[in-house]
Amino acid sequence: MTAAQELEMILTQHQDINRRVESNGIRLTIPASLLPQLVSQLSPQWTFVGIVPEDDARTQSLRLLYVFYTPKGPWLGMEVRNHDQVIPSISNILFAADWQEREMEDLFDVSFAGHPQLGDFVLHDSHWPEGTAPMKRHSWEIHQKANGFEDLGTHRIVDASGSFVMPIGPVFSGTAESIQFGLETVGEEIVFAHIRPFYKYRAVEKLMRGQTPMGSLLIAERIDGLTAFSHALAMAQAWETLGDLQISPRAQLLRVFWAEIERIRSHLQVLSGILESTGLSVPQNLLQAQEEELLQISGAFSGHRYLFGLIRLGGLSRDWSAEDIQHIVKRLETLVHHSQEILDALTFDNSFLDRLEAVGTLSGERARTHGLVGPVGRASGIHRDVRIHQPYAAYDNVVFDVPVQTEGDGYARFRQLAQEMTQSIRIIQQIPSMLTPGEVVPTDKFHPALRTAFGYVESPGGSVLCAVSSNNQGMVERCRIITPGLVNWHAFPDAIRHFAFQDFPIIMATFGLSVADLDR
Amino acid sequence: MLWLRMGLTHPKKTVSSKAPSPLNGLSPGRPAPTPLLDAPPETICPTQALKEHGNVMTVDYTRCIHCRLCHQQPDQNRMSWEEGYQWAQMTSPRLPHSFRHSLHIRVVDAGDCGACLNELHQLASPVYSLHRLGIAFTPTPRDADVLVITGPITVSMKEAVQEAYQAMPSPKRVVAVGTCALSGGLFASSFALAGPLEKILPVDLSVPGCPPPPLALLHAFQLLMGAKSEEMRTQGVRT
């Protein structure tokens, strides 16, 4: 039975569900009391993406949209009103919703009945009074606590003789990003791990409000600077759906081209991070030099080393000659070839393999519980990639495979990244011969529709969903960005449990997650 | 043995601080002062970095994010674009005496998007080889001469930044890296910021850029070590 048929069957059981079919999805309006039942019926076949807040124009209040999709199938949004009913928590059914519910509670003051741990998440209690709710429709003035002082202590739950908490962060080694962990232990083994993110919370979703489309792209690029192109592309695609903009085949192909270049760069960076954590400095430096070479190629041809400012609504901000494209492809081929040589040599290095194999293991079942996305999920056997399952730009015209591993350990994640890089260069090689002349730099006038639209992109770290609704001046009314960091960091404390302290930096490196992406 | 051989057979050429021209992706470049434009600058620049000054349109580099919107305008509104990377500015008259030979740097991320941090990280790669100049990243502020702050300083990171500064021995210097640390950049109006950095710590050196490329950072650290005395003499700083 397909997912769509199953949905039909479930819907015939419930008379009080209002259904609307939209351009690329189905929208249901459901009473909150039905939510847990529907979610448990849908979740085996439908993939949960996240909770998107919307403004209900009729009741002048907030409503939540629970977003799901099926591979190659439609999107499903379940609307739940917030103003006159209690919303039950679904995180006991879908663990992936845990952090999203905590986030909604902190930012919108939506209470989820039955959630065991609400509050002190995005807005740390040491600085912000409970109930601040900065994202509520009319909250213009947001007050900090007077004399607030960040409490750098961590929670503690393990009760055993000799147990203690090893605090790590928020500031730790080298050029690491700021995030805090509390590792509970009785000696060598990490018995339980706490994670405390949002030290870097910049309130991006709040800032987006009232931005022009161009301004929203610039901010989206700076959510996570290392996957800037993907985030901006997701944002642009949401606007393009709202404004019904046509994008030329040439621009679509070039977007795929640069998106894959970004994937190679990001994977090289994560791989060299893994080598750094295991102390293999020669291959680490060699890979890092390849990454720098790629940054220089990006800088020379796109104008920015991290591809900022390349995405425009309806296309890209510049075009390239056939010679330029050929030249980039040639240099990329050599670069990926050199990197593969190093990565192949590593598979013969016993001391390296010993540190990765059977370390930080996330079984397929646990990975599914967390709803993991991106290479981390695929290394645990979750075949999930929106490039294939919800094709955008020109991804349905290029041929590529999505590699999947089954072990879910550090070495599986290492191999996953290496194999994905090979597929990326395979996509890039197909593009020059497919490019036809056409307009890339857009000039169209643009009138967005007054509803919510989604843009989804498989960023190097996993799928990014950008939900944008526009106001009648064509500015952002509400914006919600569900990033791979928000999903995958949730599983990280689970992956380090029962491993030794010295494995902690290695497991963190194999996850290759960005904190900026989570904190936004 | 395998890695020793591989390291020797794959030498990487180091980019020196006397960088080649053209820069070929080593730096994104930035807008240069240009004769007045027809359109009002606030309609062109998303971060209000363009300022009219007499009959020249100048650029406030602490706000510029290299979005190139001012460079992609029609002719009469187009800002010219300059290559280059020597962007660091001394903002305090304090003398750089103590750091002639080596410099230990503690980096604190205070809300960075990741790009500035990655550019700092690239400095340690063989392409820039930071260590050949006697510069090193250190994990503890107790060993550090220089505190490098990236990002717009979020409310939650403010205390961590202050504590890192207090833990450093004197003499010490503070470097603000990137547009976010200097002015808040695109995030300036966010309610969750305690920055920019100058509101929290005395800033000795500012490195504009979004992100500043590795060469700009290298230039900044050399300024602190007194190696680039030329620029400092023209700014009236005694070396």
Side-chain angles (χ1 to χ4, degrees):
Chain A
M1 189 161 50
T2 66
Q5 285 168 335
E6 194 185 86
L7 180 69
E8 285 304 318
M9 215 186 71
I10 295 167
L11 290 185
T12 52
Q13 297 163 11
H14 304 288
Q15 299 306 314
D16 44 355
I17 294 176
N18 175 12
R19 182 204 322 206
R20 266 195 341 270
V21 178
E22 289 182 350
S23 57
N24 68 341
I26 306 162
R27 199 179 252 263
L28 310 173
T29 310
I30 63 167
S33 54
L34 264 183
L35 187 64
Q37 191 193 345
L38 277 176
V39 166
S40 57
Q41 283 174 321
L42 289 174
S43 56
Q45 287 228 31
W46 292 76
T47 307
F48 174 68
V49 182
I51 308 175
V52 173
E54 284 185 315
D55 286 314
D56 192 332
R58 201 169 44 82
T59 59
Q60 288 290 307
S61 66
L62 191 77
R63 66 174 180 231
L64 302 182
L65 190 67
Y66 289 71
V67 182
F68 296 78
Y69 76 93
T70 49
K72 305 204 171 166
W75 289 74
L76 172 68
M78 292 200 288
E79 262 177 36
V80 182
R81 290 188 321 270
N82 176 46
H83 74 291
D84 55 352
Q85 51 188 349
V86 178
I87 300 184
S89 163
I90 58 162
S91 49
N92 53 342
I93 307 160
L94 263 180
F95 196 32
D98 174 23
W99 275 13
Q100 304 220 14
E101 286 182 349
R102 291 180 71 182
E103 204 178 29
M104 290 291 129
E105 197 271 344
D106 247 16
L107 299 179
F108 292 90
D109 207 13
V110 179
S111 192
F112 293 90
H115 195 293
Q117 193 189 6
L118 293 173
D120 192 21
F121 186 56
V122 178
L123 302 176
H124 292 175
D125 277 359
S126 39
H127 277 294
W128 310 96
E130 197 54 43
T132 301
M135 294 285 285
K136 266 188 162 172
R137 192 180 174 82
H138 297 295
S139 63
W140 301 116
E141 287 193 22
I142 301 149
H143 296 290
Q144 281 179 54
K145 279 184 183 170
N147 308 321
F149 198 84
E150 192 67 40
D151 173 18
L152 298 174
T154 52
H155 294 283
R156 206 175 156 171
I157 60 165
V158 175
D159 184 17
S161 79
S163 73
F164 65 95
V165 187
M166 169 91 154
I168 296 181
V171 178
F172 55 111
S173 70
T175 49
E177 289 184 87
S178 296
I179 187 165
Q180 195 183 23
F181 304 96
L183 308 182
E184 293 207 62
T185 181
V186 284
E188 270 296 290
E189 182 189 316
I190 298 168
V191 181
F192 194 86
H194 302 274
I195 179 169
R196 193 162 192 243
F198 291 103
Y199 276 94
K200 294 169 49 157
Y201 176 62
R202 291 160 291 171
V204 165
E205 286 166 358
K206 175 90 181 167
L207 260 182
M208 286 285 189
R209 203 148 185 201
Q211 290 286 343
T212 59
M214 189 63 226
S216 72
L217 291 186
L218 291 175
I219 295 177
E221 282 169 352
R222 286 156 183 87
I223 293 170
D224 175 16
L226 301 181
T227 54
F229 190 83
S230 305
H231 283 74
L233 183 55
M235 193 54 141
Q237 283 178 355
W239 279 113
E240 283 153 7
T241 313
L242 280 179
D244 204 13
L245 281 183
Q246 296 305 314
I247 298 118
S248 70
R250 184 180 177 83
Q252 297 280 33
L253 278 167
L254 286 171
R255 281 179 170 188
V256 170
F257 186 76
W258 287 103
E260 292 305 317
I261 290 181
E262 184 176 79
R263 194 180 317 281
I264 295 179
R265 195 211 59 74
S266 173
H267 283 9
L268 275 176
Q269 179 211 343
V270 176
L271 286 165
S272 81
I274 296 175
L275 294 168
E276 189 177 9
S277 73
T278 53
L280 282 172
S281 51
V282 173
Q284 180 228 325
N285 278 314
L286 291 176
L287 275 192
Q288 216 183 336
Q290 300 295 343
E291 189 200 341
E292 172 62 28
E293 160 85 2
L294 189 41
L295 284 170
Q296 288 178 19
I297 298 173
S298 307
F301 289 94
S302 82
H304 196 286
R305 287 158 59 87
Y306 293 88
L307 311 179
F308 290 5
L310 205 50
I311 288 277
R312 290 285 187 272
L313 287 191
L316 294 163
S317 64
R318 57 193 290 181
D319 198 356
W320 296 267
S321 68
E323 294 78 51
D324 280 354
I325 295 285
Q326 279 297 349
H327 177 80
I328 300 173
V329 174
K330 278 231 171 57
R331 280 175 73 179
L332 285 174
E333 280 169 350
T334 349
L335 183 150
V336 172
H337 176 73
H338 283 316
S339 311
Q340 291 292 357
E341 264 179 11
I342 300 162
L343 297 173
D344 288 345
L346 281 165
T347 57
F348 295 100
D349 187 324
N350 283 331
S351 71
F352 175 67
L353 297 181
D354 283 347
R355 315 241 17 213
L356 289 188
E357 276 176 332
V359 161
T361 314
L362 267 182
S363 66
E365 194 196 331
R366 277 159 85 197
R368 243 176 297 279
T369 314
H370 286 287
L372 291 191
V373 294
V376 180
R378 293 193 280 272
S380 291
I382 302 186
H383 187 268
R384 187 179 290 173
D385 189 329
V386 290
R387 289 180 295 170
I388 294 234
H389 290 157
Q390 296 286 336
Y392 55 91
Y395 277 110
D396 42 5
N397 299 331
V398 291
V399 185
F400 66 104
D401 298 322
V402 178
V404 177
Q405 324 291 325
T406 51
E407 299 90 335
D409 62 350
Y411 186 43
R413 291 191 279 273
F414 174 82
R415 287 202 314 275
Q416 179 67 25
L417 293 167
Q419 290 170 12
E420 285 189 11
M421 242 164 55
T422 322
Q423 294 302 324
S424 292
I425 192 75
R426 185 172 159 203
I427 296 173
I428 288 170
Q429 283 165 333
Q430 294 168 40
I431 287 175
S433 61
M434 294 168 74
L435 282 175
T436 48
E439 198 64 44
V440 165
V441 187
T443 48
D444 297 0
K445 279 275 169 284
F446 167 79
H447 301 286
L450 294 176
R451 57 185 180 90
T452 305
F454 297 150
Y456 35 89
V457 162
E458 185 74 18
S459 87
S463 58
V464 176
L465 177 90
C466 207
V468 177
S469 52
S470 140
N471 64 14
N472 43 22
Q473 282 111 44
M475 313 274 190
V476 182
E477 178 64 26
R478 270 212 190 279
C479 166
R480 168 90 171 135
I481 301 151
I482 294 161
T483 54
L486 184 63
V487 181
N488 287 354
W489 271 113
H490 187 230
F492 179 68
D494 204 9
I496 54 178
R497 275 183 78 178
H498 306 306
F499 290 97
F501 271 123
Q502 69 266 25
D503 294 330
F504 171 78
I506 298 175
I507 301 172
M508 191 146 108
T510 58
F511 264 70
L513 299 175
S514 153
V515 184
D517 200 36
L518 158 64
D519 289 359
R520 285 159 292 151
Chain B
M1 261 336 264
L2 168 77
W3 297 119
L4 179 64
R5 201 179 68 225
M6 200 165 205
L8 291 172
T9 51
H10 293 70
K12 294 284 165 226
K13 197 161 176 278
T14 302
V15 180
S16 81
S17 44
K18 296 177 199 69
S21 178
L23 283 166
N24 272 332
L26 287 166
S27 163
R30 61 183 190 179
T34 308
L36 285 189
L37 314 177
D38 282 4
E42 58 273 14
T43 61
I44 296 175
C45 180
T47 55
Q48 269 80 57
L50 299 182
K51 299 256 170 13
E52 283 179 23
H53 195 272
N55 53 0
V56 181
M57 189 63 80
T58 57
V59 187
D60 178 357
Y61 292 115
T62 63
R63 289 171 178 273
C64 176
I65 54 167
H66 320 281
C67 63
R68 282 183 192 257
L69 283 173
C70 59
H71 186 56
Q72 288 157 351
Q73 298 290 326
D75 280 345
Q76 68 278 14
N77 285 331
R78 183 180 298 151
M79 293 291 287
S80 55
W81 202 260
E82 64 178 24
E83 282 204 316
Y85 61 92
Q86 300 196 340
W87 299 344
Q89 288 281 330
M90 283 289 220
T91 45
S92 84
R94 291 202 281 166
L95 306 180
H97 267 318
S98 318
F99 308 127
R100 283 274 166 85
H101 302 292
S102 89
L103 204 59
H104 281 207
I105 298 167
R106 171 69 245 193
V107 181
V108 175
D109 159 24
D112 187 285
C113 71
C116 287
L117 281 180
N118 202 52
E119 295 292 48
L120 281 160
H121 191 62
Q122 284 302 325
L123 279 178
S125 86
V127 181
Y128 298 101
S129 186
L130 181 78
H131 307 101
R132 81 199 140 96
L133 301 165
I135 307 173
F137 293 116
T138 166
T140 160
R142 295 255 182 245
D143 287 346
D145 306 312
V146 177
L147 184 64
V148 167
I149 307 287
T150 65
I153 333 288
T154 57
V155 167
S156 294
M157 281 308 291
K158 182 180 157 195
E159 283 95 27
V161 167
Q162 284 168 332
E163 279 187 25
Y165 181 74
Q166 277 151 18
M168 285 166 62
S170 290
K172 51 190 168 187
R173 300 287 179 265
V174 177
V175 180
V177 165
T179 302
C180 287
L182 290 171
S183 68
L186 279 169
F187 301 107
S189 57
S190 168
F191 75 90
L193 297 192
L197 185 58
E198 62 185 11
K199 285 206 315 213
I200 296 163
L201 294 180
V203 179
D204 298 304
L205 189 75
S206 62
V207 194
C210 186
L215 278 182
L217 295 164
L218 213 53
H219 168 249
F221 296 143
Q222 287 183 307
L223 266 183
L224 277 182
M225 295 173 81
K228 293 263 168 174
S229 51
E230 190 66 30
E231 287 86 351
M232 282 189 289
R233 236 178 269 126
T234 54
Q235 285 164 27
V237 177
R238 189 167 57 86
T239 52

